[in-house]
Amino acid sequence: MRTRLLLLTLALPLAGCGRHEEPQAPPLPVTLVRVAGGESGGGTRYSASLTPDVQVSAAFKVSGYVEQILQVRGADGRLRPIQDGDFVRRGTVLARIRTREYQDAVTQAAAALTRSKADFDRTASLYENRSVAKSDYDAAYARYQADQAEHDRAVQALNDCALVAPLDGYVLARSVEVGSLVAPGSPAFEVGNLGAVKVVFGVPDVMVGSLKAGARQKVRVDAVPGTLFEGRYTRISPVADPASRMFEAEVTIPNGDGRLKPGMIAALEVDHGAPAAPAARILVPLNAVVRPPGSDTGFAVYVVEQKDSQSVARLTLVDLGDISGNEIQVRRGLGGGEGVIVRGATLAVDGAPVRVVP
């Protein structure tokens, strides 16, 4: 009897545990964006990075150790070596290499020139008095001319120890430091004129005929949203690239206010002739796109649907197109007007309840 009572006592808590239900997980808080369709004209979209209107590599013509770099006053008021982003005027000395060896060469060449000039003057005087032969006069003159040329070369090499800015513009890169050993022709600075910037892109042969030099072209820049820039076609290559078979086109945009920087991404739509009926373009934020669970290929988004008076996340496979700023085109999978999960997309589960928050 005691054994049965003991077993019954132990079984009661276990039976209670068997009837315990797991608490249901709360809905995942998510933020939505309402998908809207844009208008796509009959043109073709291109993307390219901005480049300076003029960019020049400044390099030393002679070799040696860098002894000095132009000092400018920084934002903190202290002097520092010139660096990327600093503006320079044409002719400003950007850097100098050690001049001792070149000064010695000038001194040696000047001494040789003085000696040969004295010999030539003496020989010329004797030749006028018919005391030396014509061949002696010609030899003295040749030595004098050779020493003069050597002296000029030595002076020019000494002057070339100073590297000057080739144009008015901004320093785009500096690749030397004090103490660096430079070789002739090795770039030390990149200087660019940013009063205008260029967009260079390639077009196929079926479109190159519709482009005209001087024609206006609207350009959008992702880093300056809400502003439409206008440029002109300044160059259209007459020859296709042998590798890509594309013709290079160049659009120049005025940049007097300096808002456009080299390296920014620009987007433009080129009209290729006959107008086409505008088609809806579906755009979603980039952070709304995820990989389908268990798959390394393809893309998807989570769309919020109503099911039994509750919001649930529904995985929707999509085909993607071009990127425009922080958005990407959806070619297939969405029809426009859906609520797509942005914040919380990486945590959502297909069919799981969600709670929409601002």
Side-chain angles (χ1 to χ4, degrees):
M1 181 61 68
R2 289 182 179 177
T3 302
R4 291 179 180 177
L5 290 175
L6 181 59
L7 293 175
L8 181 59
T9 303
L10 294 174
L12 288 175
L14 293 176
C17 292
R19 292 192 301 269
H20 178 70
E21 296 182 357
E22 293 290 338
Q24 187 176 6
L28 175 70
V30 297
T31 301
L32 301 184
V33 63
R34 190 64 58 180
V35 174
E39 292 296 323
S40 178
T44 304
R45 290 174 56 86
Y46 293 91
S47 294
S49 60
L50 299 179
T51 59
D53 183 34
V54 179
Q55 182 172 344
V56 179
S57 295
F60 285 101
K61 292 182 64 177
V62 294
S63 61
Y65 288 96
V66 177
E67 191 174 51
Q68 178 185 355
I69 293 178
L70 175 64
Q71 300 288 303
V72 297
R73 201 165 297 279
D76 57 359
R78 296 184 300 176
L79 290 176
R80 57 164 177 78
I82 194 170
Q83 63 186 19
D84 305 0
D86 291 332
F87 184 81
V88 293
R89 293 290 183 184
R90 180 179 181 179
T92 302
V93 177
L94 301 176
R96 295 180 185 273
I97 63 174
R98 191 173 63 193
T99 60
R100 185 176 59 207
E101 297 88 345
Y102 297 96
Q103 288 173 339
D104 292 344
V106 170
T107 301
Q108 182 177 359
L113 178 62
T114 301
R115 183 173 56 252
S116 62
K117 185 177 185 303
D119 291 343
F120 171 67
D121 290 342
R122 183 174 61 256
T123 303
S125 178
L126 293 174
Y127 179 68
E128 289 177 358
N129 296 326
R130 300 182 182 277
S131 299
V132 295
K134 179 70 165 53
S135 59
D136 294 332
Y137 172 84
D138 291 341
Y141 180 72
R143 286 194 298 272
Y144 169 59
Q145 290 294 99
D147 288 341
Q148 179 68 61
E150 186 62 31
H151 179 265
D152 292 343
R153 282 195 294 269
V155 171
Q156 184 61 52
L158 178 61
N159 293 335
D160 289 337
C161 290
L163 180 62
V164 300
L167 49 83
D168 293 348
Y170 289 89
V171 175
L172 304 180
R174 173 169 66 90
S175 55
V176 295
E177 299 287 349
V178 173
S180 299
L181 177 61
V182 296
S186 57
F189 292 86
E190 292 286 338
V191 182
N193 180 1
L194 303 184
V197 292
K198 298 186 294 188
V199 184
V200 182
F201 59 100
V203 297
D205 53 358
V206 295
M207 287 188 57
V208 68
S210 64
L211 303 182
K212 303 297 180 184
R216 300 177 184 272
Q217 174 65 55
K218 302 291 186 181
V219 179
R220 297 184 185 275
V221 179
D222 295 343
V224 190
T227 303
L228 192 61
F229 298 92
E230 185 177 88
R232 291 182 180 272
Y233 284 95
T234 51
R235 182 173 61 87
I236 302 170
S237 177
V239 181
D241 182 83
S244 64
R245 308 305 305 166
M246 302 289 278
F247 291 81
E248 199 170 77
E250 173 187 283
V251 176
T252 301
I253 308 169
N255 188 37
D257 55 6
R259 284 191 294 172
L260 302 179
K261 309 294 184 184
M264 288 182 175
I265 302 301
L268 57 147
E269 187 169 303
V270 180
D271 187 4
H272 50 71
R281 282 181 40 203
I282 307 300
L283 299 174
V284 298
L286 290 171
N287 55 350
V289 180
V290 297
R291 288 285 191 188
S295 174
D296 293 332
T297 59
F299 298 95
V301 297
Y302 281 100
V303 176
V304 173
E305 298 180 350
Q306 295 297 318
K307 181 180 180 182
D308 299 332
S309 302
Q310 189 176 35
S311 298
V312 297
R314 188 64 62 193
L315 185 70
T316 303
L317 300 179
V318 292
D319 290 340
L320 303 179
D322 298 327
I323 294 178
S324 178
N326 62 347
E327 295 181 317
I328 190 167
Q329 180 185 4
V330 176
R331 293 175 175 169
R332 188 181 298 110
L334 297 177
E338 296 93 337
V340 174
I341 296 178
V342 180
R343 187 177 302 167
T346 57
L347 302 176
V349 177
D350 187 27
V354 296
R355 176 169 56 91
V356 179
V357 297

